[in-house]
Amino acid sequence: LYVFVFIGAYFEDLLDFHSIGVTFQKWWSDQRIWLIRGLSSFLFGSIEFFFKSFGIATLGFNVTSKVLDEDQSKRYEQGRMEFGVPSPLFVPLTTAAVVNLAAFAWGHVEVFRGSNGLEGLLMQMFIAGFGIANCIPIYEGIIRSDKGKIPTKITLVSTFIAFALYAAAYVTLRN
């Protein structure tokens, strides 16, 4: 039932985009932007609101220059996302990408081991695979070598957080 609702909602959204003449690629980019907004600006905005509501000092908002150089313009024309500025907004995105990739890989290990509960495992692998498909620009940002790549520090912090989450879940499930 949940898979049907999930796929139905996505298909309906695709039909809505198609009915107004938007291409599949632009629809897919819109889906990725929802992931990015949900894990970055909405998350940090909610934290900021929570702190302000209780009178706790907040980080504030800094306006940055949006001037593009020639390399940035070229990457934009190629449809590549720009991650060049080290920002804490990229940590949850990169952490989610690492968690999805690790879960998908571990799912394959469990399938080859002949794990019990294969039906539930396949559903979890589908969800992780969908997360991987949405995180492709983030993986590209991690392995790129140009100025628009995700900074190595962000990747390392995110990987550490992903493994810390795994360790916490492992300890909780064992007890």
Side-chain angles (χ1 to χ4, degrees), residues 65-76 82:
S65 173
K66 303 296 186 249
V67 177
L68 298 177
D69 65 11
E70 189 175 319
D71 289 336
Q72 286 175 315
S73 296
K74 188 187 302 180
R75 288 190 295 273
Y76 176 77
E82 187 71 28

Side-chain angles (χ1 to χ4, degrees), residues 148-166:
K149 75 177 274 179
I150 293 177
T152 306
K153 180 179 179 181
I154 300 289
T155 304
L156 292 174
V157 167
S158 298
T159 304
F160 175 77
I161 291 171
F163 282 111
L165 289 172
Y166 169 75

Side-chain angles (χ1 to χ4, degrees), residues 13 17 22 24-37 134:
D13 193 46
F17 269 71
V22 176
F24 176 81
Q25 182 62 37
K26 288 186 179 184
W27 170 78
W28 187 245
S29 293
D30 183 67
Q31 300 308 307
R32 290 175 174 169
I33 291 301
W34 271 104
L35 168 82
I36 290 169
R37 286 190 296 198
N134 271 319

Side-chain angles (χ1 to χ4, degrees), residues 57-125:
T58 60
L59 298 173
F61 177 75
N62 295 329
V63 178
T64 59
S65 173
K66 303 296 186 249
V67 177
L68 298 177
D69 65 11
E70 189 175 319
D71 289 336
Q72 286 175 315
S73 296
K74 188 187 302 180
R75 288 190 295 273
Y76 176 77
E77 292 298 322
Q78 294 171 342
R80 299 173 89 186
M81 291 189 177
E82 187 71 28
F83 298 105
V85 179
S87 171
L89 290 172
F90 298 145
V91 173
L93 290 172
T94 310
T95 302
V98 170
V99 166
N100 281 318
L101 190 61
F104 194 72
W106 186 252
H108 276 85
V109 169
E110 290 295 315
V111 166
F112 290 124
R113 280 176 158 179
S115 176
N116 294 337
L118 195 59
E119 183 178 310
L121 181 63
L122 292 177
M123 182 55 60
Q124 292 172 22
M125 286 180 58

